[in-house]
Amino acid sequence: MTTPTALATGEARTRLQELTVIDVRTPGEYAAGHLPGALNIPLDHIQRALPDIRDAAHRKDVLVVCASGARSENACKILAENGITTTTLSGGTGAWAADGHELHCPQALPRTVWGMERQVRLTAGALVLLGLLLGALIHPAFQVLSAGIAGGLVFSALTNTCGMAAVLAKLPHNRPRAHDLDRTLAELRSR
């Protein structure tokens, strides 16, 4: 069966049992709620998981999901470059939840988990304010920081990429523990 490059939430829900679902968000975002049966392989670990995803794609169609669809589109491009056919969920888990579909939360979270978009907004806003404050109190040249962040946000919107998210994803609270990723890959192999 040929799978389209994007599935609407209703079609994905109907086909959920016949799909291998890979969630490319950070572990914290995944733990806060994900599609039932989804496996967490963060975007920056896709290369490591290529052999296992390739094998899984021979058994079932692969659906790649994230919060809004941007990271999953990037993951699908990486997988396609490596000969692996996948599809993405239109609108991501945000659209899934907005359409009233269940999100699985595996455990009570010990702390509030922020999604990547919220982390980016906080970081960008703090850096803009810092640039303006330092520009007003120390030297106007510090306002270049604010201008740089504004330019980065415009570039991010135009290219549907986010360099700041890529950097924030490397922070310890956004990275999977090695044994968690190993466990996920073992589960992917067994499906």
Side-chain angles (χ1 to χ4, degrees):
M1 170 183 227
T2 303
T3 303
T5 57
L7 289 179
T9 59
E11 184 178 357
R13 185 174 184 270
T14 302
R15 295 187 54 204
L16 202 54
Q17 296 304 315
E18 61 190 65
L19 298 169
T20 297
V21 182
I22 297 174
D23 190 319
V24 296
R25 296 176 299 156
T26 66
E29 290 174 294
Y30 172 83
H34 56 269
L35 274 67
L39 298 171
N40 185 220
I41 303 173
L43 180 58
D44 59 342
H45 286 78
I46 287 291
Q47 293 288 343
R48 176 179 171 202
L50 283 174
D52 297 314
I53 297 171
R54 182 176 289 109
D55 290 343
H58 291 303
R59 294 186 299 276
K60 290 183 173 182
D61 288 339
V62 175
L63 176 66
V64 183
V65 301
C66 68
S68 66
R71 283 179 278 178
S72 61
E73 285 179 16
N74 290 336
C76 287
K77 287 176 189 171
I78 292 168
L79 294 167
E81 290 167 0
N82 286 278
I84 303 169
T85 302
T86 58
T87 188
T88 186
L89 179 65
S90 294
T93 55
W96 179 271
D99 287 347
H101 305 306
E102 170 192 7
L103 286 175
H104 178 70
C105 298
Q107 62 208 13
L109 298 174
R111 59 179 166 72
T112 302
V113 178
W114 283 16
M116 186 55 67
E117 182 183 340
R118 186 174 181 192
Q119 292 179 50
V120 168
R121 289 193 318 254
L122 173 72
T123 304
L127 289 172
V128 167
L129 287 175
L130 178 64
L132 292 173
L133 183 64
L134 291 174
L137 298 177
I138 297 175
H139 192 278
F142 281 108
Q143 292 176 353
V144 170
L145 174 62
S146 299
I149 296 299
L153 290 171
V154 170
F155 179 80
S156 175
L158 293 174
T159 62
N160 201 26
T161 62
C162 187
M164 188 176 291
V167 171
L168 291 173
K170 297 193 181 309
L171 293 175
H173 66 276
N174 285 327
R175 301 195 50 80
R177 292 175 288 200
H179 68 276
D180 289 342
L181 187 58
D182 291 340
R183 188 178 320 123
T184 299
L185 294 177
E187 186 174 344
L188 180 60
R189 282 183 224 112
S190 70
R191 287 188 176 186

